[in-house]
């Protein structure tokens, strides 16, 4: 990779597992990569912490940091530790508790993330989509309102629309990163609950609408469980574009192409699956595919 490519600024938007995979695949770009992380999770350890402490959801941020740790240390072992046994601590991830504690000690949640990044020697920039707590909500086709990410995931069919409750401001660093980006990556990951929430923020919507960056949608390697698994690729792309003020997606990256999209989108067919897990993106293959798109 030439130096010009390495100086390009990359923004990746999404949630824990998928975004973490993208960020780790692009870790050689260092602080020229910014991950904008969904903060609406209300399940598991994160949901329990939010129920008693309030604040944003930390689980997806913690997952991204975990995947970026390249030097095992006592600090990384502590950050990744999950309690087992009986009582209140069972199932809690210590990283979530550390981020919550640092948030309470810091002026801003972003400061808490940066303290952990410094401690664990993670150079990739990680920015929460918002520093204000909000929940994902949905309206079904029958008009029923559903609140909470876990309940949205339990729907029998895709909702008519998604929204945030309440509408909160985007983190200003997230908006600036999009405005300065050369390439913006959406996905992979859970479409409704990881990729879509940041796009529902008005400031991020406007920044994506006006960006000159190349926008790339990275497909999942298999069908999702839950309502998103019943959505066609064309529908997902339409939802993204509607949430970007009509801005078209430039490239669709995946392990194959969709014939119905040929006239509308540039599709890049690349073998992306890990040799050991066919549903998981291989870091090296993903990295190479994105580099190829950057120079195309």
């Amino acid at each position: 990779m030439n130096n010009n490519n390495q100086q390009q600024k990359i923004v990746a938007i999404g949630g824990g597992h998928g975004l973490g995979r993208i960020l780790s695949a692009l870790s050689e770009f260092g602080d020229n990569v910014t991950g904008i992380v969904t903060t609406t999770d209300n399940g598991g350890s994160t949901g329990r912490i939010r129920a008693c402490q309030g604040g944003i959801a930390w689980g997806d941020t913690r997952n991204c940091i975990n995947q970026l740790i390249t030097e095992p240390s006592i600090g990384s072992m502590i950050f990744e530790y999950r309690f087992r046994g009986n009582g209140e601590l069972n199932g809690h991830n210590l990283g979530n508790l550390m981020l919550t504690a640092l948030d309470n000690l810091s002026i801003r949640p972003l400061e808490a993330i940066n303290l952990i990044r410094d401690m664990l020697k993670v150079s990739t920039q990680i920015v929460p989509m918002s520093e204000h707590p909000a929940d994902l909500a949905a309206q079904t086709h029958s008009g029923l309102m559903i609140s909470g990410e876990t309940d949205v995931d339990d729907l029998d069919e895709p909702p008519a629309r998604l929204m945030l409750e309440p509408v909160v401001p985007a983190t200003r660093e997230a908006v600036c990163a999009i405005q300065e980006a050369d390439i913006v990556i959406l996905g992979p990951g859970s479409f409704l609950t990881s990729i879509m929430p940041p796009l529902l923020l008005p400031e991020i919507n406007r920044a994506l609408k006006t960006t000159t960056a190349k926008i790339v949608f990275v497909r999942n390697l298999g069908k999702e469980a839950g309502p998103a698994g019943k959505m066609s690729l064309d529908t997902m792309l339409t939802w993204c574009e509607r949430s970007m003020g009509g801005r078209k997606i430039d490239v669709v990256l995946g392990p194959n192409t969709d014939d119905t999209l040929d006239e509308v989108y540039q599709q890049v067919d690349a073998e992306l699956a890990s040799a050991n897990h066919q549903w998981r993106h291989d870091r090296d293959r993903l990295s190479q595919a994105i580099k190829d798109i950057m120079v195309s």
Side-chain angles (χ1 to χ4, degrees):
M1 183 174 59
N2 65 47
N3 289 334
N4 287 339
N5 292 341
Q6 200 138 18
Q7 293 308 308
Q8 290 198 50
K9 293 190 177 295
I10 305 169
V11 168
I13 299 173
H17 292 287
L19 178 59
R21 206 71 176 167
I22 285 280
L23 297 180
S24 62
L26 298 173
S27 59
E28 67 187 271
F29 287 83
D31 62 6
N32 282 327
V33 179
T34 300
I36 299 175
V37 190
T38 294
T39 57
T40 51
D41 188 11
N42 68 329
S45 169
T46 292
R48 289 163 59 195
I49 292 171
R50 291 189 72 193
C52 66
Q53 291 278 324
I56 65 173
W58 287 111
D60 285 345
T61 296
R62 188 208 77 244
N63 197 315
C64 289
I65 294 172
N66 280 346
Q67 294 195 54
L68 286 162
I69 295 170
T70 56
E71 299 178 23
S73 64
I74 295 297
S76 66
M77 289 172 61
I78 291 171
F79 189 69
E80 296 173 23
Y81 181 77
R82 188 177 293 274
F83 292 94
R84 300 295 181 201
N86 299 318
E88 284 296 313
L89 285 176
N90 180 42
H92 270 308
N93 186 287
L94 187 52
N96 289 342
L97 297 173
M98 290 170 68
L99 284 163
T100 302
L102 286 170
D103 182 20
N104 291 339
L105 293 170
S106 302
I107 298 171
R108 302 177 58 193
L110 185 57
E111 288 187 1
I113 295 171
N114 289 337
L115 285 167
I116 290 290
R117 284 178 53 225
D118 290 344
M119 182 182 82
L120 299 177
K121 298 180 173 61
V122 170
S123 60
T124 302
Q125 300 189 65
I126 300 172
V127 179
M129 70 179 210
S130 177
E131 295 181 294
H132 300 265
D135 284 303
L136 185 66
Q139 183 177 27
T140 68
H141 290 277
S142 64
L144 183 66
M145 297 299 297
I146 304 293
S147 183
E149 195 172 286
T150 54
D151 288 340
V152 172
D153 252 344
D154 284 340
L155 289 171
D156 293 327
E157 63 177 3
R161 67 187 185 104
L162 290 174
M163 63 216 80
L164 295 174
E165 293 181 338
V167 177
V168 291
T171 309
R172 62 178 181 271
E173 287 82 358
V175 175
C176 289
I178 293 169
Q179 291 170 337
E180 296 173 0
D182 296 294
I183 183 169
V184 173
I185 301 167
L186 306 177
S190 303
F191 179 73
L192 293 172
T193 56
S194 290
I195 299 169
M196 282 300 300
L199 307 187
L200 301 175
L201 294 166
E203 297 95 337
I204 287 182
N205 175 313
R206 289 194 292 269
L208 288 169
K209 179 180 181 180
T210 58
T211 183
T212 58
K214 187 178 292 185
I215 299 182
V216 180
F217 184 91
V218 181
R219 299 175 60 178
N220 289 333
L221 299 179
K223 271 211 175 290
E224 277 190 62
K230 298 178 181 178
M231 298 175 74
S232 68
L233 176 58
D234 181 55
T235 299
M236 291 182 186
L237 298 175
T238 299
W239 274 49
C240 288
E241 290 169 350
R242 187 173 63 199
S243 297
M244 298 190 297
R247 169 63 154 85
K248 296 292 289 184
I249 286 168
D250 297 295
V251 180
V252 178
L253 172 63
N256 47 55
T257 58
D258 186 324
D259 293 342
T260 64
L261 303 180
D262 279 344
E263 301 300 317
V264 185
Y265 297 98
Q266 177 190 349
Q267 298 186 76
V268 174
D269 183 355
E271 178 54 59
L272 299 173
S274 165
N276 299 324
H277 301 282
Q278 287 302 303
W279 49 268
R280 181 182 294 169
H281 290 77
D282 179 87
R283 288 184 179 88
D284 292 336
R285 292 173 174 176
L286 191 54
S287 174
Q288 189 57 54
I290 292 170
K291 289 176 193 172
D292 291 345
I293 289 170
M294 289 168 68
V295 300
S296 64

